[in-house]
Each structure stands twice: as structure tokens, then as C-alpha cells.
Amino acid sequence: MSRKFIPAVIIAILLATNFSGTSAQSPVANPVPAIAGLPEAARAAAASIDPEKIRAHVRFLSLDLLEGRGPGTRGGELAAEYIATQFALAGVQPAGDDGTYFQRVPLYAVHTMEDKTTISFEATNAKGGAETIPLTYGREIVLKDQTGQPTADIDAPIVFVGYGIDAPEYHWNDYAGVDVKGKVVLVIVNEPPSDDPKFFKGKALTYYGRWTYKYEEAARRGAVGVLIIHRTDLASYGWDVVRNSQATEKSYLEGDPTATLRAAAWIQHDVAQELFTAAGLGDLDQAINRAGIPGEFHAVELPVRLRAHIESRVRHYLSANVVGVVPGASPGGHAVMYTAHYDHLGIDPNAKGDNIYNGAADNGTGCGILLELARAFAQSAVRPPHAVYFASVTAEEQGLLGSQYLGMHPPVPAGQIALDLNYDMLLPIGIPVSVNLSGAERIDFWPTVDTVAKAFDLALMPDSTPSAGHYYRSDHFSMARVGIPAFSIDQGDLFEGHDLAWGHDQREDYTAHHYHQPSDEYHVDWDFSGNAKLGRFGFVLGWLASEQSKPIEWLPGDEFEATRKASLAQQPVAGSR
């Protein structure tokens, strides 16, 4: 990553730094409760977390000046430099490459050139005649060539493989009896519906339901393309979210062995119905229902081919995770990590009107909280029991790429990290009296989490939309994949002065009108007191996790248990940084 600063940017950063409200020593509302094992000095440090400092960070990071913080862009670099500057001002030590705050992440970005890309379905009817169904990019289909080649020409048969899942532990294989090498697979978003917690975890989405898994599995089987059928109720978000996420560049990690698809694509539900009709398969929704019934589905090759000429603009670049550390009082392997992604969707050059995706809530808020946590730990009168790391990661919106790289190259071995706490998209709308901590119940630190939440007057609420698979959609998942106990701290729907319906409506309105939209912008009337409260809550959890006398582990039978045990066995506790 280049490190070129212009004076105007330096001035802007200094102005943002000084626009920080109360000082660390100023009295703060909502003091931290007394909790067993938490020193008074640590309690005071947690209480110093200041909503106005969080506001200042969010305001700066979401300025048009930063151009939507796209990874590998000028705005993304400015965001990384700002975060590193704040670490330095707070007294947080560098924990990146070569004594810097920056962990270099090698990436390449692919932008599909819509005006030079043509896509169609070519169907053979019962009489042997041909029917061409042209597809409009953006409105009906979006795709990327994952390989990073400038052009791709595809003429391949389409195979409907249901949900596109091979899950031996659930005795489920949608690919049974079919060879998809060199073909395009058509898959349903999400996973087979269930109320049985022993079958795809019931209503909670597993990783098998994530679009990333579907791409990875198809690539492992040699497919050249994937068409994911979008249906809003199954995906938990509308087509606009899919389209906007694909309208800008999509990045991939250099050397990723799973990024081999020439057409990683989504198609509109109505377009998929056209495809089914052309193939003589009848009603799509009925087929989706049958595909979720055990024993009812068998993969089928359609009398339809995908024909596409794809032209892509490709650039190879370095982005960076920004990583700092507050050394602990003792060496050892119970380090704690806090994560929050700083990237967003950048600029859509083809959009009319406002084309900057500022990402104020997503994830300016998480960055603001992380920066305040770093400052509070660094300026605490007593050092934490063990090292505390702070990682503001890149390319989350591209598929958790920055955190994936961080998980592959952690600042200390994964077995020496007790816990990762992640912050992502916390709406600044007041003081929450409930939290969603999906995944925390899967680790043996859960009793402490429960105790601290009650002390903070935070009711533990179940995920209101478990089918959305939120656990697999943010950066803590990258840490979990390498065994590190990890979860996100998210607000629930209950806020001071309001009923549950109000919080639900606020979240739904943001998702419908601002999530991954240019309208996700900073507002002067936002209330960051709730962000600060959840920062304090996370501070206490991290401190107590660092005090544990033994490693935190996943509960028996969890999907990450074996990886954790392997990391603990391979990485004996040693001195931390």
C-alpha cells in the first residue's frame, strides 16, 4: 500500500481528531457496573468510552472525502491511515508488518464491464428448436469472473442442484449422481428449511446456506459457473442489495484456490422461473419446496445452456488490515482481539445522482467503537492481564477477505488468542437494553457473558432472523474458522424509552432503505450513547476473557471445536507480543 499524504488530508484528520467531545478523564453517563474480577482502574477505563469520540470517528470515516472507503482506493487508504493515526495518538503499539500498523493484504479486483458483457440462456424445446432468452445485467443477473482474467466466453450446460449442499453430517448431498465439471450449476439461496435443531440447526442458518459456501463447493467440483436464485424471503435482503454489492468492484485474495468460477452469479427469481419454464420444469417455487424435503430431490441437467461473453476490468493491489496492540501485564496465550471492518462499497461510477456509498452505520460505527476501545485500553491506569489486539480489517464487503487473511496470518498464533469480539453496523439510535450475541452461547465463556450482560442491564435476545445466517456474515466468522472463539456484539430491538416494535421498525427501515445504499450517511442527530454502552460492555468482556486461567473453548460438538483443539495442541502457550 502506498503511503502518500497530502497536507489537506493531514489537516482533515487532525480536525477530526480534535472534534472528539469529552476527554478520557471527563465524567461519563452510564457508569460501568462493579463486576467480580474487574479492577477498579479497568472499570474506570471502560467508563471513559465516550459517545462523542465515537461520533467524531464515524463522521470523519463517512465523509464524501473518503469516497466510500473501497478497498484499494484512495478513500480506503485514507481510512486506514486515519485509523492508524488514532491508534498512535492513543498509545496503541503497531502490530502489523515490519513494525507498522499495516498488515498487507494482496488482492485483485474485478469489475464486470456491463456494456461489453452479453449473457443469455439458450434453450432446446421439445421439438428440437432453439429459444434464446437474453438477460439484462443488473436488473436480471449480476456476475463476476473470479479468475481475474480480462475476458471469458462460456457455453456450458446448466445443472439444477437444489441448494448446492454436500453435508455428510446431515446425510445430505445435492450433488449425488451428477458430474458438474465444466458446467454451470443452478442453486437456491439459503438451505433446506427445518425446525429440527439437529437438522441444519433448525431455523438457524448454517454456513452451508451462505452464498460463499455455494461458490466454494461448486468450484471444488470443477464447475465453471454458479447461478444463485435470489428470493427475498430466503435471502433476507432484496435484489437491490445483491445488485449494489456487485455493481462496484469485487475483490478476491491472491492465490485463493476456491476463486476459480468464470461466472459467479445471482439471478432474479422471475428470471429463474423463465429458465424453469424453458426447461419444462414447471413452477419454480414448488421446485424450491421439493428441494428442501429429504429424499425428494435429485439433481437434473436442463436442456438449457448458459452462453456469455464477459469482459472485466481487473486490477491487482494491496490493501491493509490496520492492527495495533496494547501489551498485557503478563506474557502468555490469553490474548484478546477486537475486530471491525473499515471498508465499504466505494463509488459506483455508473450510478446517477449520489453514487458514494458512505457506509456511516456500516461500518463507521464499528470502527468508532473499536477506536474508543483501543484508546480506553491503552490509557487504562492498569494494564490488561494479557495482550489486547485491535484489528480494523479491509474487504469485508468483498466476502470477509481482510479478516480471512488476518485469520490465516494472526499477530500471534490462533491458539494463543482467547476471544475475538467483533463490532459491525450498530445503529446510533439510542441506548439498547437488549443485545444479540449470536454464537456466544457456543463457547464455554458463555456464563461470564450472561453475567456481564445482566450487570449492564442488557437482556439477551435470540436472533430475530436466524434464517439470515448473521453469524456467517461478519468478520468474527473468519476467526472462528481458524478455531478462535468469536462472536459479534450487536444491539437487540429493545431500547430505553421504546417498545420492542419500535426497535424492530428502526432496523427494518434501515435494512430496506439504507443498507448498502448511498443513503447510509452520517446524521448530526444520531445518538451514540448506545454505541458507547456496547463498547463498555465489550471492554469488560475482553478484560475478563484475558483473565481466564485456561483457554476459552468451543462447546463439545460445535463445528469449530476440532479446529480449536488442534490450534491449542499445535501452539503451546508462549510469550505474547
Side-chain angles (χ1 to χ4, degrees):
M1 172 181 286
S2 64
R3 300 286 158 216
K4 297 178 181 178
F5 259 133
I6 56 175
V9 173
I10 296 175
I11 293 170
I13 288 179
L14 292 175
L15 287 173
T17 301
N18 291 328
F19 180 68
S20 55
T22 10
S23 68
Q25 289 74 35
S26 300
V28 178
N30 299 317
V32 173
I35 295 172
L38 185 70
E40 276 301 312
R43 183 182 176 195
S48 78
I49 291 176
D50 186 342
E52 292 309 305
K53 285 186 169 64
I54 296 172
R55 175 192 300 278
H57 297 313
V58 174
R59 172 186 171 276
F60 180 80
L61 290 169
S62 60
L63 289 173
D64 282 359
L65 172 72
L66 273 70
E67 301 170 345
R69 306 190 304 276
T73 67
R74 172 185 177 274
E77 288 198 11
L78 292 180
E81 290 283 6
Y82 175 81
I83 293 164
T85 299
Q86 295 302 318
F87 280 170
L89 288 170
V92 178
Q93 297 181 14
D97 299 335
D98 305 321
T100 73
Y101 291 103
F102 305 104
Q103 180 186 55
R104 294 180 293 273
V105 181
L107 299 162
Y108 61 95
V110 177
H111 180 82
T112 304
M113 301 173 70
E114 301 178 22
D115 58 337
K116 297 181 179 180
T117 295
T118 57
I119 310 165
S120 65
F121 295 139
E122 304 293 331
T124 303
N125 59 35
K127 298 180 179 179
E131 177 186 2
T132 299
I133 305 173
L135 303 181
T136 303
Y137 195 93
R139 184 165 59 85
E140 297 176 315
I141 187 170
V142 290
L143 61 77
K144 288 291 188 290
D145 178 355
Q146 295 181 330
T147 68
Q149 301 301 308
T151 62
D153 289 289
I154 299 172
D155 184 357
I158 299 173
V159 183
F160 179 47
V161 293
Y163 285 95
I165 294 171
D166 181 6
E169 67 271 37
Y170 299 123
H171 308 290
W172 189 278
N173 185 6
D174 287 320
Y175 286 94
V178 65
D179 179 7
V180 298
K181 188 174 182 179
K183 301 174 184 178
V184 173
V185 298
L186 176 68
V187 301
I188 307 163
V189 70
N190 212 303
E191 65 190 6
S194 172
D195 292 324
D196 181 357
K198 295 181 179 180
F199 183 68
F200 288 101
K201 293 189 179 179
K203 293 185 180 299
L205 190 77
T206 72
Y207 187 57
Y208 290 119
R210 291 288 293 138
W211 57 268
T212 49
Y213 165 81
K214 296 173 190 291
Y215 286 164
E216 292 164 3
E217 184 62 29
R220 282 190 286 267
R221 294 174 179 271
V224 297
V226 174
L227 302 172
I228 298 177
I229 301 169
H230 175 269
R231 202 174 84 178
T232 298
D233 61 324
L234 297 180
S236 81
Y237 42 79
W239 179 256
D240 284 352
V241 173
V242 177
R243 183 188 61 211
N244 291 343
S245 299
Q246 296 286 333
T248 54
E249 290 182 330
K250 173 71 177 74
S251 293
Y252 303 91
L253 275 177
E254 294 277 8
D256 186 346
T258 66
T260 61
L261 298 175
R262 304 311 304 266
W266 290 71
I267 58 173
Q268 273 268 34
H269 175 273
D270 291 349
V271 175
Q273 180 59 71
E274 280 191 69
L275 175 58
F276 260 55
T277 300
L281 294 181
D283 184 73
L284 171 62
D285 291 324
Q286 290 182 10
I288 290 174
N289 292 338
R290 287 195 302 271
I293 302 172
E296 288 290 313
F297 177 77
H298 299 284
V300 57
E301 184 168 321
L302 311 184
V304 183
R305 302 178 74 86
L306 177 71
R307 289 184 178 164
H309 173 74
I310 304 164
E311 295 198 18
S312 304
R313 184 171 63 247
V314 181
R315 64 187 179 97
H316 296 259
Y317 67 97
L318 288 174
S319 188
N321 295 326
V322 191
V323 190
V325 62
V326 173
S330 302
H334 298 302
V336 168
M337 181 179 291
Y338 292 92
T339 50
H341 75 90
Y342 69 83
D343 68 293
H344 201 53
L345 300 178
I347 294 176
D348 180 2
N350 298 317
K352 297 179 180 178
D354 185 1
N355 64 350
I356 299 176
Y357 291 82
N358 301 82
D362 183 15
N363 186 33
T365 55
C367 290
I369 294 170
L370 181 136
L371 287 169
E372 262 298 85
L373 280 163
R375 184 201 56 76
F377 269 102
Q379 298 178 4
S380 171
V382 294
R383 293 170 68 184
H386 296 95
V388 182
Y389 289 88
F390 303 90
S392 193
V393 297
T394 187
E396 187 271 356
E397 303 289 9
Q398 308 295 318
L400 314 183
L401 300 183
S403 59
Q404 179 185 342
Y405 191 85
L406 180 68
M408 295 164 58
H409 307 279
V412 291
Q416 295 184 25
I417 299 175
L419 182 68
D420 170 63
L421 295 173
N422 186 62
Y423 287 89
D424 190 357
M425 201 176 78
L426 295 101
L427 303 184
I429 56 175
I431 299 176
V433 289
S434 64
V435 283
N436 183 321
L437 307 174
S438 177
E441 76 285 355
R442 297 165 61 171
I443 59 178
D444 61 12
F445 189 58
W446 170 248
T448 300
V449 174
D450 183 40
T451 298
V452 175
K454 289 175 180 174
F456 271 86
D457 188 29
L458 289 167
L460 295 165
M461 298 185 69
D463 188 349
S464 59
T465 54
S467 63
H470 290 119
Y471 189 82
Y472 304 94
R473 290 168 58 176
S474 196
D475 291 305
H476 62 259
F477 174 55
S478 294
M479 302 301 108
R481 292 184 85 170
V482 297
I484 299 169
F487 59 92
S488 283
I489 293 176
D490 195 9
Q491 59 209 164
D493 286 342
L494 194 58
F495 289 79
E496 283 188 7
H498 301 281
D499 61 13
L500 197 64
W502 181 87
H504 174 269
D505 290 346
Q506 296 296 308
R507 176 171 49 81
E508 289 293 305
D509 178 73
Y510 174 82
T511 301
H513 301 115
H514 307 294
Y515 176 61
H516 284 198
Q517 303 286 343
S519 59
D520 184 3
E521 297 181 304
Y522 169 78
H523 296 275
V524 294
D525 61 348
W526 272 353
D527 180 357
F528 288 88
S529 53
N531 281 198
K533 178 178 180 178
L534 295 184
R536 297 175 196 134
F537 173 60
F539 182 105
V540 174
L541 287 181
W543 193 286
L544 296 179
S546 183
E547 280 188 340
Q548 298 294 296
S549 59
K550 65 180 186 64
I552 296 173
E553 298 194 53
W554 297 93
L555 295 180
D558 193 89
E559 64 186 295
F560 306 115
E561 179 196 13
T563 306
R564 178 62 167 174
K565 289 188 179 300
S567 69
L568 291 172
Q570 294 168 5
Q571 304 291 346
V573 172
S576 66
R577 297 175 64 158

